[in-house]
């Protein structure tokens, strides 16, 4: 088998090591890889593991999650680049030795290229890219809370588009929020770290620790007495009609 970058990163089974490979690829080839990619990759891994998504190859999804934004522009004022970066990235990845299907999965992280039929792995990428992005501060708005982001994901970002994993992803976020450490003390903690000036190395370690904490909390919740479980359940009652208000508050 010809030795390519694609073989190298796909054959690496340790997902933390994969992120370290991306760190050096960014330095050498100037691909897009920031701490938001780490957050979204962790979300993808947690979703697959916790919801037992068996019909996809986790290694493919994790690797695609790390690479699908490789040509993402730092300046979002150029709408043409915003619409073309996923397709441009797919073409770049093919040159690195990735299969046409893998490149198609990455291209379908958003819907600008109108690639059809969509790969099922792409729907996972789309969910974590949208949801994870909303958990982070941007120059034009502060981060959304997880319950706000979930509503915006369904009723704004994906409005009119079918995503086969949307219902399971909603259940996944709600399930995590029921854990006593809550999403606020795990994913949100990590998202805050993403907005600091700390090194990527620190973010990698924190991402790994965050994953362990979430799984431990879910196990504790599963084994807790019924009356204790009620204490962990978040009271999230935001109607779709309130979305416009949420957007205005965050804009």
């Amino acid at each position: 088998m010809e030795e390519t970058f694609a073989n190298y990163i796909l054959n690496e089974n340790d997902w933390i090591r994969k992120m370290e490979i991306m760190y050096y690829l960014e330095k050498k080839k100037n691909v897009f890889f920031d701490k938001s990619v780490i957050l979204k990759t962790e979300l993808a891994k947690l979703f697959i593991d916790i919801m037992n998504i068996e019909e996809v190859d986790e290694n493919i999804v994790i690797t695609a999650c790390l690479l699908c934004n490789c040509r993402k522009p730092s300046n979002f004022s150029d709408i043409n680049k915003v619409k073309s970066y996923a397709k441009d990235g797919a073409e770049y990845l093919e040159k690195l030795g990735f299969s046409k299907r893998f490149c198609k999965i990455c291209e379908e992280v958003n819907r600008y290229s109108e690639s059809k039929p969509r790969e099922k792995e792409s729907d996972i990428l789309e969910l974590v890219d949208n949801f994870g992005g909303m958990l982070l501060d941007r120059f034009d708005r502060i981060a959304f809370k997880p319950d706000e982001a979930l509503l915006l994901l369904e009723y704004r970002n994906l409005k009119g588009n079918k995503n086969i994993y949307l219902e399971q992803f909603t259940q996944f976020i709600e399930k995590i929020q029921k854990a006593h450490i809550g999403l606020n003390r795990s994913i949100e903690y990590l998202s805050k770290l993403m907005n600091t000036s700390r090194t990527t190395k620190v973010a990698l370690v924190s991402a790994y620790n965050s994953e362990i904490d979430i799984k431990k909390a879910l196990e504790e919740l599963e084994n807790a007495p019924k009356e204790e479980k009620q204490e962990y359940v978040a009271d999230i009652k935001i109607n779709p009609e309130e979305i416009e208000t949420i957007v205005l508050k965050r804009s």
Side-chain angles (χ1 to χ4, degrees), residues 63 77 114 142:
T63 309
S77 61
E114 299 182 351
I142 61 173

Side-chain angles (χ1 to χ4, degrees), residues 12-244:
E12 176 55 65
N13 295 319
D14 186 329
W15 76 293
I16 300 297
R17 175 63 182 145
K18 282 182 188 288
M19 288 194 281
E20 291 176 345
I21 293 170
M22 286 298 302
Y23 174 77
Y24 291 111
L25 182 67
E26 177 208 5
K27 299 299 181 186
K28 291 185 177 182
K29 298 296 183 181
N30 198 33
V31 301
F32 182 86
F33 177 69
D34 70 357
K35 289 174 283 188
S36 69
V37 177
I38 298 169
L39 174 62
K40 294 170 184 178
T41 303
E42 182 180 14
L43 276 172
K45 188 175 191 308
L46 284 169
F47 174 58
I48 292 171
D49 290 348
I50 291 173
M51 300 305 290
N52 297 315
I53 310 296
E54 297 180 349
E55 64 269 22
V56 299
D57 184 329
E58 182 176 301
N59 182 44
I60 294 293
V61 175
I62 296 302
T63 309
C65 202
L66 290 169
L67 287 161
C68 64
N69 289 315
C70 65
R71 283 292 181 255
K72 190 173 184 178
S74 55
N75 181 4
F76 272 75
S77 61
D78 188 338
I79 189 62
N80 291 323
K81 288 186 177 180
V82 171
K83 289 183 176 181
S84 68
Y85 78 82
K87 186 173 180 59
D88 293 342
E91 293 172 355
Y92 173 74
L93 293 174
E94 189 168 357
K95 294 177 182 177
L96 296 182
F98 289 95
S99 69
K100 288 188 179 297
R101 182 174 181 272
F102 182 91
C103 295
K104 184 174 182 290
I105 290 169
C106 292
E107 179 183 335
E108 293 171 351
V109 64
N110 58 44
R111 305 204 179 213
Y112 287 119
S113 71
E114 299 182 351
S115 172
K116 293 179 181 179
R118 286 177 60 81
E119 303 293 333
K120 53 184 179 294
E121 292 87 352
S122 303
D123 276 8
I124 296 177
L125 263 60
E126 179 180 56
L127 290 168
V128 298
D129 191 64
N130 278 273
F131 183 80
M134 286 189 282
L135 295 183
L136 302 175
D137 289 334
R138 279 191 347 200
F139 74 93
D140 58 341
R141 61 154 175 79
I142 61 173
F144 291 97
K145 294 179 180 178
D147 53 317
E148 296 172 341
L150 201 58
L151 283 167
L152 291 169
L153 175 69
E154 181 174 0
Y155 294 101
R156 186 191 66 179
N157 295 23
L158 296 183
K159 185 177 180 180
N161 293 316
K162 178 177 175 55
N163 185 298
I164 61 174
Y165 292 111
L166 177 59
E167 184 176 349
Q168 284 175 283
F169 190 79
T170 300
Q171 294 170 358
F172 158 65
I173 298 300
E174 291 174 348
K175 187 174 183 180
I176 290 179
Q177 285 183 305
K178 291 178 182 179
H180 70 280
I181 62 167
L183 196 61
N184 292 340
R185 290 182 57 195
S186 50
I187 294 295
E188 276 199 355
Y189 168 77
L190 181 57
S191 68
K192 287 179 181 178
L193 175 63
M194 299 297 106
N195 292 312
T196 71
S197 59
R198 296 191 186 190
T199 64
T200 302
K201 205 83 168 180
V202 173
L204 292 176
V205 174
S206 297
Y208 178 72
N209 290 336
S210 174
E211 180 197 357
I212 293 175
D213 290 344
I214 293 171
K215 287 183 177 178
K216 181 179 178 182
L218 288 171
E219 289 173 3
E220 291 177 358
L221 175 61
E222 201 68 34
N223 297 325
K226 185 175 181 180
E227 58 273 15
E228 290 184 23
K229 289 184 181 181
Q230 298 304 316
E231 299 175 9
Y232 303 150
V233 178
D235 184 21
I236 303 168
K237 296 179 181 177
I238 300 181
N239 297 319
E241 292 75 17
E242 296 180 57
I243 290 177
E244 186 176 352

